């Protein structure tokens, strides 16, 4: 039996070949576009030249833009912290933790496309906007909103669920016995927070703060819609402008992208250092007990008020603006009786130019194609990594690299690289290049979900199949594959959800006159057909939210 096991197992040579081929494929797919950015930044007309880099750093506007980006990231971290920490405590250490439906409610702002939420806020706060119609005493709307403060608020309301989830899980793992022991020794609530609770949270909070900072630097939708309106330029909007607005300068875009990549990689290094040095092991074999405290009536009223305000700001206002605007017949009459209609939704499906239907079809095609390819490629990557030993770690790093970098940076790299090899692979300016871009951007999601499913498979199951003479393909098909299906399905669905709402890639690299849902919404919003654009936005958010609900219901994740 033991000999049969060896005969049917994959040989070391086969494993090495599989790792080599997959590594070379990801090298071509991921690392070559990334390398093209740095090459474009310093190679001009075939020779080493730092003039683009020097010009970019000497340009007064770019220096101010870099300062804007760093300032915006820092302010978003601060406000996200203020929004999320009280919620994290309520839903991890008090009886509010039993209300599981809030987990989904607080996820809604994060899965809402940020450019759509930003548009909702603009429609609500602008002069003669929805706020002015509800409260006629404010005909000018809320002018202070159109400032750095408003930009920070909108971005924080999108990112705070990320910090909330991380901090809630960290707080839930702190044993209640530590606080109880301090209370027995006479420590007040404030002392317990300062001496025990907060120090134990520092490592996790620092990681969350760095991740939110990187995501704020990487965000394009909100700075493009709201930031551009107030003249607040950041990395992503500047890179997009250099790469898409005449006079186009891929060299300057590459320089700014290189600086952004460097900042993000430095922050990821800091995050890894914090993970190793500033974390505490709070879960041991002895187990731990968590006691959920019951709030007093005044504290409960205050907690419900705080939760209601957060949900109103993060979900209520943007969704009210989007939905009501999509139903308004004539914007000049606003929220008045008889001025509501479904005609904008009907127009989406009866457009004589078929732009709306084409945009929906293109988004669905890109979502289906990229999700399917990502599942296949991601599963192969995980299998190679899990059977390849330590040497396969580089392969895993290649697959996960796009998640650590701003999406606009990878798109710029893809544009540069595929332009250079157009003679050999003429895919640029076709739908194929969009599919490839989506696969590169979203492959990490599938890899993470499949890896999570794979780690739950006991090696004894595979060994039992080998003992009974199963070939590697038979074992994979009858044992491993069925156990991976849940993770594969979750990865497929998440990739599909994100792909349908993607904005950066199609705005830069889509073929001429090719629209997707996101670029259609942006075009209608900028051209003044706001109600039509918001009708499409409602369909987009309904599709993503429904897909997420289906995923959570069917896959129980």
């Amino acid at each position: 039996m033991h000999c049969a096991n060896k005969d049917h197992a994959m040989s070391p040579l086969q494993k090495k070949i599989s790792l080599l081929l997959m590594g070379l494929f990801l090298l071509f797919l991921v690392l070559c576009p990334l390398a093209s950015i740095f090459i474009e930044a310093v190679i001009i007309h075939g020779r080493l030249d730092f003039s683009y880099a020097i010009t970019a750093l000497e340009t007064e506007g770019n220096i101010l833009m870099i300062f804007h980006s760093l300032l915006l990231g820092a302010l978003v971290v601060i406000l996200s912290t203020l929004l999320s920490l009280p919620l994290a405590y309520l839903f991890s250490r008090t009886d509010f933790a039993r209300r599981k439906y809030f987990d989904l409610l607080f996820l809604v702002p994060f899965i809402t496309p940020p450019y759509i939420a930003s548009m909702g806020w603009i429609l609500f706060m602008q002069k003669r906007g929805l706020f002015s119609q509800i409260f006629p005493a404010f005909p000018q709307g809320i002018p202070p909103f159109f400032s750095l403060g408003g930009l920070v608020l909108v971005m924080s309301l999108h990112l705070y669920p990320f910090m909330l989830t991380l901090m809630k899980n960290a707080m839930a793992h702190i044993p209640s016995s530590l606080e109880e022991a301090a209370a027995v020794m006479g420590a007040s609530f404030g002392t317990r927070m300062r001496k025990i609770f907060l120090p134990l949270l520092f490592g996790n909070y620092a990681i969350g703060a760095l991740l939110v900072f990187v995501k704020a630097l990487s965000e394009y939708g909100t700075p493009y819609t709201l930031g551009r309106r107030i003249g607040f330029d950041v990395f992503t909007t500047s890179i997009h402008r250099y790469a898409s607005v005449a006079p186009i300068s891929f060299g300057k875009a590459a320089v700014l992208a290189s600086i952004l990549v460097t900042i993000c990689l430095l922050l990821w290094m800091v995050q890894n250092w914090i993970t190793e040095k500033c974390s505490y092991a709070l879960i041991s074999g002895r187990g731990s007990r968590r006691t959920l405290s019951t709030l007093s009536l005044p504290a409960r009223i205050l907690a419900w008020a705080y939760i209601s305000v957060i949900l109103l700001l993060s979900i209520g206002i943007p969704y009210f603006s989007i939905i009501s605007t999509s139903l308004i017949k004539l914007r000049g009459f606003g929220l008045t009786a008889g001025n509501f209609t479904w005609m904008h939704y009907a127009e989406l499906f009866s457009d004589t130019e078929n732009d709306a239907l084409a945009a929906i079809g293109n988004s669905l095609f890109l979502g289906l194609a990229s999700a399917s390819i990502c599942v296949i490629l991601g599963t192969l990557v995980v299998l190679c990594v899990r059977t390849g030993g330590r040497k396969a770690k580089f392969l895993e790093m290649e697959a996960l690299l796009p998640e650590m970098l701003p999406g606009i940076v990878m798109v710029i790299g893809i544009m540069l690289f595929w332009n250079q090899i157009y003679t050999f692979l003429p895919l640029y300016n076709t739908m194929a290049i969009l599919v490839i871009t989506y696969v590169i951007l979203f492959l990490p999601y599938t890899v993470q979900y499949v890896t999570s499913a794979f780690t739950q498979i006991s090696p004894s199951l595979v060994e039992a199949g080998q003992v009974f003479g199963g070939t590697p393909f038979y074992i994979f098909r009858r044992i491993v594959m069925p156990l991976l299906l849940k993770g594969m399905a979750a990865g497929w669905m998440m990739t599909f959800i994100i792909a349908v709402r993607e904005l950066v890639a199609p705005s830069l690299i889509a073929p001429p006159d090719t629209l997707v849902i996101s670029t259609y919404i942006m075009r209608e919003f900028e051209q003044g057909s706001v109600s039509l654009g918001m009708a499409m936005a409602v369909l987009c958010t309904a599709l993503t939210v429904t897909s997420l609900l289906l995923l959570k219901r069917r896959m129980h994740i």
Side-chain angles (χ1 to χ4, degrees):
M1 284 293 181
H2 187 65
C3 294
N5 177 20
K6 283 189 175 181
D7 291 337
H8 290 296
M10 183 179 289
S11 68
L13 179 60
Q14 290 174 319
K15 291 181 180 179
K16 289 181 179 178
I17 293 175
S18 299
L19 278 175
L20 179 62
L21 292 177
M22 185 60 68
L24 290 175
F25 181 69
L26 290 181
L27 176 71
F28 175 80
L29 206 64
V30 178
L31 295 186
C32 285
L34 188 59
S36 297
I37 296 174
F38 294 96
I39 293 173
E40 185 72 19
V42 298
I43 302 295
I44 303 174
H45 302 305
R47 60 186 178 83
L48 188 65
D49 190 337
F50 293 96
S51 60
Y52 280 151
I54 294 172
T55 302
L57 293 176
E58 289 180 345
T59 301
E60 182 179 354
N62 285 342
I63 295 297
L64 181 61
M65 175 273 299
I66 295 173
F67 173 75
H68 281 173
S69 300
L70 299 177
L71 176 63
L72 179 62
L75 293 177
V76 169
V77 168
I78 293 172
L79 185 55
S80 297
T81 300
L82 296 176
L83 293 174
S84 60
L85 282 184
L87 292 174
Y89 186 85
L90 284 173
F91 288 97
S92 64
R93 313 295 293 186
T94 74
D95 54 355
F96 275 89
R98 299 189 181 98
R99 304 175 188 274
K100 297 299 182 182
Y101 57 87
F102 277 106
D103 292 341
L104 183 59
L105 279 177
F106 287 121
L107 194 59
V108 171
F110 190 68
I111 65 173
T112 302
Y115 60 92
I116 291 179
S118 177
M119 291 175 182
W121 274 97
I122 291 172
L123 292 170
F124 190 79
M125 293 294 195
Q126 68 185 357
K127 183 179 180 180
R128 292 190 294 274
L130 298 176
F131 182 83
S132 298
Q133 296 172 34
I134 298 173
F135 302 100
F138 299 90
Q140 301 300 315
I142 307 294
F145 171 79
F146 296 94
S147 63
L148 175 60
L151 181 61
V152 172
L153 174 65
V154 174
M155 293 186 68
S156 299
L157 289 172
H158 171 66
L159 291 174
Y160 86 89
F162 188 87
M163 178 78 77
L164 169 61
T165 301
L166 187 66
M167 297 310 298
K168 186 180 70 171
N169 292 336
M171 290 181 184
H173 288 146
I174 297 178
S176 298
S177 57
L178 298 178
E179 290 185 80
E180 293 170 354
V184 168
M185 300 299 294
S188 64
F189 177 80
T191 302
R192 298 197 301 270
M193 289 291 104
R194 189 175 69 257
K195 296 290 187 179
I196 298 176
F197 202 74
L198 294 181
L200 291 175
L201 285 178
F202 176 75
N204 289 283
Y205 170 74
I207 293 171
L210 288 172
L211 292 176
V212 170
F213 189 86
V214 170
K215 288 182 177 294
L217 286 183
S218 308
E219 175 57 37
Y220 169 73
T222 304
Y224 180 80
T225 52
L226 180 56
R228 191 178 60 162
R229 182 164 178 159
I230 64 176
F232 196 87
D233 231 1
V234 295
F235 269 115
T236 51
T237 53
S238 297
I239 294 171
H240 188 279
R241 184 180 67 252
Y242 279 130
S244 61
V245 179
I248 292 176
S249 176
F250 285 119
K252 294 178 181 179
V255 169
L256 295 183
S258 301
I259 297 173
L260 182 55
V261 167
T262 302
I263 293 173
C264 290
L265 290 180
L266 287 175
L267 290 173
W268 282 112
M269 291 172 62
V270 172
Q271 178 205 325
N272 290 331
W273 181 85
I274 291 174
T275 302
E276 295 176 1
K277 302 295 183 181
C278 303
S279 297
Y280 297 91
L282 297 174
I283 302 177
S284 64
R286 297 175 59 187
S288 60
R289 177 176 56 85
R290 179 173 57 131
T291 302
L292 299 178
S293 61
T294 301
L295 298 178
S296 63
L297 181 59
R300 185 173 296 276
I301 293 174
L302 186 62
W304 275 113
Y306 184 77
I307 294 169
S308 300
V309 169
I310 297 296
L311 291 178
L312 174 66
L313 293 176
S314 60
I315 300 176
I317 289 178
Y319 274 85
F320 168 75
S321 299
I322 295 165
I323 295 173
S324 60
T325 302
S326 71
L327 296 173
I328 290 176
K329 184 186 300 183
L330 298 173
R331 292 186 62 202
F333 290 95
L335 301 173
T336 57
N339 194 37
F340 296 97
T341 179
W342 295 99
M343 69 177 187
H344 303 299
Y345 292 91
E347 187 176 348
L348 290 177
F349 298 98
S350 60
D351 184 6
T352 55
E353 297 179 1
N354 292 323
D355 283 349
L357 288 177
I360 295 172
N362 289 334
S363 289
L364 292 178
F365 165 74
L366 290 168
L368 293 170
S370 59
S372 301
I373 295 173
C374 281
V375 162
I376 297 172
L377 183 58
T379 303
L380 292 175
V381 168
V382 172
L383 292 175
C384 289
V385 169
R386 292 295 166 177
T387 59
R390 293 182 178 180
K391 295 180 180 179
K393 290 298 180 183
F394 180 75
L395 179 64
E396 186 176 34
M397 184 274 291
E398 285 183 298
L400 295 177
L401 185 59
E403 185 185 34
M404 297 188 291
L405 301 175
I408 195 169
V409 170
M410 289 304 306
V411 174
I412 293 295
I414 292 167
M415 293 172 66
L416 295 171
F417 177 67
W418 286 89
N419 259 318
Q420 294 167 356
I421 64 171
Y422 185 81
T423 304
F424 308 100
L425 287 173
L427 299 182
Y428 197 77
N429 272 342
T430 67
M431 288 294 287
I433 194 63
L434 261 181
V435 174
I436 292 172
T437 303
Y438 279 38
V439 169
I440 295 172
L441 292 176
F442 307 136
L443 178 62
Y445 295 100
T446 303
V447 171
Q448 289 172 333
Y449 277 106
V450 177
T451 298
S452 177
F454 197 93
T455 54
Q456 299 176 27
I457 300 176
S458 173
S460 61
L461 297 177
V462 177
E463 293 168 358
Q466 292 173 342
V467 167
F468 284 95
T471 64
F473 179 73
Y474 180 85
I475 293 172
F476 173 75
R477 182 169 57 89
R478 299 300 300 270
I479 299 176
V480 177
M481 183 69 175
L483 296 174
L484 288 181
L485 281 178
K486 180 178 178 179
M488 293 170 65
W492 188 97
M493 183 63 78
M494 286 304 297
T495 301
F496 175 79
I497 291 172
I498 298 170
V500 167
R501 50 180 265 188
E502 172 62 18
L503 172 62
V504 174
S507 68
L508 280 173
I509 207 170
D513 301 322
T514 299
L515 293 172
V516 296
I517 288 176
S518 58
T519 52
Y520 179 90
I521 294 171
M522 297 295 291
R523 187 192 71 174
E524 298 303 315
F525 188 80
E526 292 177 349
Q527 292 182 353
S529 301
V530 178
S531 293
L532 190 60
M534 292 303 98
M536 179 69 85
V538 171
L539 293 181
C540 177
T541 51
L543 178 62
T544 55
V545 171
T546 302
S547 299
L548 182 68
L549 288 172
L550 180 63
L551 176 65
K552 291 182 71 68
R553 182 178 180 85
R554 296 298 182 187
M555 307 309 299
H556 304 291
I557 60 173

